[in-house]
Amino acid sequence: MRDSKTLTAITLCGSLALFTGALSAETIRVGIGHQSMVTNTIPGGIILEKLELLEKHLPTTGKYEDVDYEIIYRDYDSGPPITNQMLAGKLDFGVMGDYPLIVNGAKFQETGKQETRFIGVTGYNLRGTGNGIVVPIDSDTQTLADLEGKTLSVPVGSAAWGMTLKALSEAGLSDKVRIVNQSPAVGAANIQAGRIDAHADFCPWSEIMEFRETGRKIYDGSEAGIPTFHGTVVRKEFADKYPELVEGYLTATLEAQKWIQDDPMRAAVKVSEWTGVEKEVLYLYFSEGGITTFEASIKPEWVDALEYDHALLQREVSVPDLDFDRWLNDSHLRAAYKTMDMDYDALLNSVVETQPNDPEFAPAEIWFADKGIVTYDSIADMLAAMETSSEKINATYVYDNLTGLKLFGKASFMVQGDDGEVVAFLKKADSEQYIADNGGTPVTPVRAVAMAN
């Protein structure tokens, strides 16, 4: 756990109520467990803290007129420790991935005394990208099948752990790959040092390793065929006692999501300063056409995915029962959308899905160190600009020709056709199949190494 030491008593009134002849005020603790290194969770944690958005939206009238708020942010590497702290009554809100959310709800209901409520989504990808399995950059491993007899590390209990269980089960490898529990930072370090055969992790660790050129992705979460998302749970006792605070928290989350959408490059730079995650990695998630969509409604697709994931967890690791009808609650979120003058039902019934060659997005981008993001009408034009420009390049971005998923240019597998046009692929096997079907030659940008400097 990284404790931000943000323990602030915020007086939101100019006077204190008089009780039994003495000055006193109620102090309400608002404890938030979040994951600043996880791109999909940051609208529910680190942005609220750094921009002080929660203070802006907590109630200050009526029964809250004479209240002091004690706001506590506690930063974790994954979701399971947050659940433990919530069970101990030390945190009120928890921001975590889909599988940890399920375990949270199930563990609370299992107690027979406490419960949580799933109240909103912080970020999602319909295809499941964000989770991934990475091998050392020089490894001979290319596919899941190549992991047979090898060791794979993963933060046990995380969204990536759930994805890994599903992927190995469907590949018939559940009892043929040794799984060990490692935190994201430890797993990434072991990949860099070649001390582990493979590491599975959640957003944005696969892309961190790609950007640093220490790891190579062999399995993307989109291949699992199940959406991935992160969201917020709240202790039912807290929500029942302070419903207005829950609405305030969610309204602050909506504002944080809008802050990212309004200026993705600015958001990437600021969040990088706060967390240490490279800004280029964050832009891959934040930008238009990027990996994460920041929208909070609890869509039917998410409910279906949660129910599927719960069945998988019960089958694989005997997770307790979970009554979804009790657990899911979007009433506070609907109120927050109304406060922000947003149409909840319209967003509930729409979902962002990546498409190949989407005309809404420029096919290629360069992030120049001095002049920022420049878009190009084709990957070939981007490559030409890279060859002729002497300016420092932070990163390049392209889209997978098969799925439309946004990729680092240097981590993609590019193919140039006989007509000079260039297409990019997430996986080497897909680029080789494209060449077999259509002709063409592999392309490696001359300045690929320089982009990481």
Side-chain angles (χ1 to χ4, degrees):
M1 179 192 77
R2 294 178 299 279
D3 193 331
S4 65
K5 305 299 184 185
T6 302
L7 183 59
T8 57
I10 302 164
T11 304
L12 299 178
C13 58
S15 61
L16 300 177
L18 187 62
F19 294 101
T20 62
L23 289 176
S24 64
E26 180 185 7
T27 297
I28 300 176
R29 184 205 68 186
V30 184
I32 300 166
H34 67 107
Q35 301 170 71
S36 68
M37 296 286 287
V38 182
T39 45
N40 284 6
T41 70
I42 62 168
I46 190 70
I47 295 177
L48 304 189
E49 179 183 1
K50 297 300 184 179
L51 299 184
E52 299 184 348
L53 296 182
L54 185 55
E55 291 90 327
K56 176 180 175 180
H57 292 289
L58 288 176
T60 62
T61 59
K63 67 180 181 179
Y64 298 102
E65 184 176 359
D66 296 314
V67 160
D68 288 347
Y69 290 113
E70 184 182 52
I71 303 176
I72 302 169
Y73 290 94
R74 289 182 179 156
D75 193 357
Y76 296 86
D77 291 328
S78 62
I82 299 175
T83 291
N84 293 337
Q85 291 296 298
M86 292 180 73
L87 281 165
K90 296 180 180 179
L91 294 173
D92 308 297
F93 294 89
V95 194
M96 59 191 77
D98 38 25
Y99 285 93
L101 286 167
I102 291 167
V103 174
N104 177 284
K107 281 192 171 183
F108 266 86
Q109 286 189 10
E110 187 182 35
T111 68
K113 298 177 181 179
Q114 304 183 73
E115 292 193 12
T116 56
R117 294 291 181 261
F118 178 38
I119 55 173
V121 171
T122 49
Y124 74 83
N125 183 281
L126 183 65
R127 288 184 178 271
T129 293
N131 298 313
I133 300 176
V134 172
V135 298
I137 192 74
D138 296 326
S139 171
D140 293 332
T141 300
Q142 296 290 339
T143 67
L144 280 181
D146 295 335
L147 291 178
E148 182 172 348
K150 297 181 179 179
T151 300
L152 178 151
S153 65
V154 62
V156 170
S158 70
W161 171 69
M163 174 208 69
T164 300
L165 293 179
K166 182 178 188 295
L168 294 180
S169 176
E170 292 183 347
L173 296 169
S174 294
D175 58 349
K176 299 176 182 178
V177 176
R178 178 173 173 256
I179 294 178
V180 297
N181 184 18
Q182 287 184 343
S183 70
V186 171
N190 285 335
I191 285 290
Q192 181 174 2
R195 291 192 294 263
I196 193 78
D197 297 312
H199 178 70
D201 226 320
F202 42 79
C203 56
W205 283 95
S206 294
E207 291 74 28
I208 287 175
M209 287 180 272
E210 284 182 330
F211 183 74
R212 295 175 182 174
E213 297 183 337
T214 59
R216 175 171 47 81
K217 192 183 298 184
I218 63 164
Y219 185 89
D220 184 78
S222 61
E223 298 176 65
I226 296 294
T228 187
F229 52 90
H230 290 65
T232 303
V233 284
V234 63
R235 291 191 302 112
K236 179 180 180 296
E237 180 182 9
F238 183 92
D240 289 346
K241 188 173 183 180
Y242 304 118
E244 297 87 355
L245 271 61
V246 177
E247 179 185 337
Y249 170 86
L250 290 170
T251 304
T253 298
L254 295 180
E255 184 170 341
Q257 291 176 327
K258 185 176 185 300
W259 180 78
I260 297 172
Q261 296 161 357
D262 285 347
D263 193 337
M265 193 178 91
R266 173 202 61 187
V269 171
K270 293 304 295 183
V271 174
S272 178
E273 293 172 359
W274 300 334
T275 65
V277 177
E278 288 87 345
K279 60 185 183 297
E280 296 85 357
V281 174
L282 293 167
Y283 184 79
L284 181 63
Y285 278 82
F286 293 176
S287 56
E288 284 192 321
I291 293 174
T292 299
T293 298
F294 294 102
E295 195 271 304
S297 63
I298 303 177
K299 304 178 190 297
E301 290 88 347
W302 308 160
V303 179
D304 291 343
L306 287 166
E307 291 177 344
Y308 175 91
D309 294 342
H310 180 248
L312 172 71
L313 290 175
Q314 284 204 305
R315 183 175 69 249
E316 296 289 335
V317 291
S318 302
V319 165
D321 292 337
L322 177 59
D323 185 333
F324 282 86
D325 290 335
R326 297 209 316 264
W327 184 54
L328 299 168
N329 185 337
D330 66 359
S331 63
H332 304 291
L333 187 59
R334 287 180 177 274
Y337 269 72
K338 187 175 181 180
T339 297
M340 294 290 287
D341 197 25
M342 298 168 66
D343 188 336
Y344 183 83
D345 288 320
L347 290 165
L348 182 69
N349 294 303
S350 67
V351 62
V352 174
E353 180 176 8
T354 56
Q355 300 292 341
N357 305 306
D358 193 326
E360 291 189 16
F361 309 123
E365 295 172 283
I366 297 178
W367 187 342
F368 289 99
D370 292 332
K371 61 185 178 184
I373 301 293
V374 177
T375 60
Y376 296 87
D377 292 333
S378 70
I379 298 176
D381 288 346
M382 180 194 77
L383 294 177
M386 292 173 63
E387 299 298 334
T388 58
S389 174
S390 60
E391 296 181 60
K392 181 181 178 182
I393 293 174
N394 290 338
T396 62
Y397 304 91
V398 296
Y399 294 89
D400 178 44
N401 194 57
L402 296 181
T403 64
L405 294 168
K406 199 164 192 173
L407 314 170
F408 283 123
K410 68 176 181 179
S412 70
F413 296 91
M414 297 183 187
V415 176
Q416 185 172 41
D418 296 335
D419 59 0
E421 289 303 309
V422 179
V423 291
F425 295 90
L426 169 69
K427 300 179 70 175
K428 184 178 182 181
D430 293 335
S431 69
E432 292 171 341
Q433 186 62 53
Y434 181 88
I435 292 173
D437 294 340
N438 303 284
T441 56
V443 178
T444 301
V446 172
R447 296 184 64 187
V449 175
M451 288 189 297
N453 297 332

